[in-house]
Amino acid sequence: MPDTAYVTYEESWHAGTRTGGRELSADEARARDAQGLPYAVVYRAPGREVPLGVRMVAWRAGTVDAWAYDEFGRRSAEAELRMRDDEGRLLVRRLLVRRFPDARTAESDPDCPRTAVELSADGTARISHQPGGMRGDSLEAEVAVAEADLWAVRPGFDDWAGLPVADALPEWVGALPGAEAAGWRREPSRLRGPADFDRVFRAGTEIPGLHVLDPMPCGSVRVPSGVLAVACPDTGEGLSRITVDVPPGTYPLEAAWVHVAEKHWGSYEDVAAVRLRIGDDPVAAWEMALGPGDDTLRLREGEAFGFGTDAATGAFGDAEAWPELCDLLGRARRQGSWEHDRLSDSLVGMNLDGGSLGADLALFCTGGDGVYPVWVGRSASGEVVRVAVQTAYELDLEA
């Protein structure tokens, strides 16, 4: 840390936007520390606009979170410390270091190389090296951790040493055997989707329990901003939405229409998935779309990110026009409203003509409440050519 570095105090801190709450004096921060109330310690250097690092302390919650920032304001390192039963010490719960290849790479870039360490109170650590970022395979291992590396003594207000988190991982991580040594394994990217999601739209395909029929057209969606949102328009705050960058344009919506044969319910026809066709090129790879703050390192086996719904509904729409489209949808749903004729039924739900907004909303039914992953199909050149959501059934697309 530079000799000229100094600290300021804030009532709170948002790590992504680098914004704090009310500025505190040192005495106010000290009082909050004694009371267990949250406060942030911001490390700054003269002439530098962004902080060197930040420590967010909340003793009542038993948490200490810390971030180091590079000169471009990107979080180059993060640490999570947690109090357990013993209030005199902190478990070093998680460490993350990003290695930005250049000044243009954003911290949320799925191609940014990084290493994460997740530690448990039982003395083990899971290490994930992602040299290709979230899109690439990871090299992983579970190792034993010495007690001294697992726990930190809870410091007093004036006893914190240096920056809250270093840009380098601890020596015990760097001293581990190379990735080719015994105990390391290669794990496929958790972003990676089904080998061929388009199968469920390809007439004649047999998927266990399903026979795929011709895909059904369900209208189109205008996306003038070039940012497509996928979310539930009827769900309140607290559940995420997904955005995908696409070329501005109008895109057809299709439903995967399938014949289902079930032992107890008999045979019937239904919708298994929906997709927007962004381009005509074949899909070379499918990947899971991410929302703000989504990190595949936090996913366990069988888990996925997606948009949340408590109304068994999803929708495709323009991200910039989303609030206006949702307002228009609410008015159009009222019987007798002069905007009611903007709504039309489709096989999968409803379509809303956004009129002068220059954007539309295409609603589709899901199989129930919950979180639904959004799958992005990319061409061999990396362009987005499909955006799809599985709406029902367990599809074994590898069979």
Side-chain angles (χ1 to χ4, degrees), residues 56-81:
M56 185 73 205
V57 181
W59 293 127
R60 281 190 188 175
T63 65
V64 177
D65 296 300
W67 306 273
Y69 293 92
D70 68 8
E71 64 271 29
F72 303 105
R74 302 173 298 190
R75 285 172 286 184
S76 55
E78 303 177 18
E80 297 176 4
L81 292 85

Side-chain angles (χ1 to χ4, degrees), residues 101-124:
D102 52 49
R104 299 183 303 276
T105 302
E107 66 179 56
S108 59
D109 191 323
D111 296 314
C112 180
R114 60 195 189 151
T115 296
V117 184
E118 296 182 350
L119 302 98
S120 300
D122 63 4
T124 61

Side-chain angles (χ1 to χ4, degrees), residues 245-382:
D245 292 339
V246 299
T250 301
Y251 301 111
L253 175 66
E254 297 176 325
W257 192 238
V258 298
H259 180 87
V260 185
E262 286 191 350
K263 180 178 180 181
H264 299 292
W265 298 99
S267 298
Y268 58 93
E269 295 178 357
D270 207 346
V271 175
V274 292
R275 72 176 179 187
L276 281 185
R277 291 189 66 96
I278 309 300
D280 294 328
D281 289 347
V283 174
W286 290 90
E287 66 181 31
M288 179 173 52
L290 299 176
D294 288 346
D295 188 334
T296 57
L297 286 171
R298 297 186 181 274
L299 291 177
R300 297 305 184 207
E301 186 72 27
E303 294 180 338
F305 293 118
F307 70 89
T309 176
D310 56 14
T313 301
F316 295 107
D318 186 90
E320 288 190 7
W322 188 267
E324 292 83 0
L325 288 168
C326 289
D327 288 344
L328 177 59
L329 175 64
R331 298 194 302 271
R333 280 172 164 166
R334 301 190 196 108
Q335 289 290 340
S337 164
W338 68 272
E339 293 163 317
H340 185 67
D341 61 358
R342 291 189 179 278
L343 277 177
S344 59
D345 291 333
S346 79
L347 179 69
V348 295
M350 293 186 296
N351 290 333
L352 175 71
D353 181 353
S356 61
L357 291 174
D360 309 308
L361 203 60
L363 287 75
F364 54 87
C365 297
T366 63
D369 298 347
V371 175
Y372 287 81
V374 177
W375 298 104
V376 176
R378 295 184 180 274
S379 67
S381 62

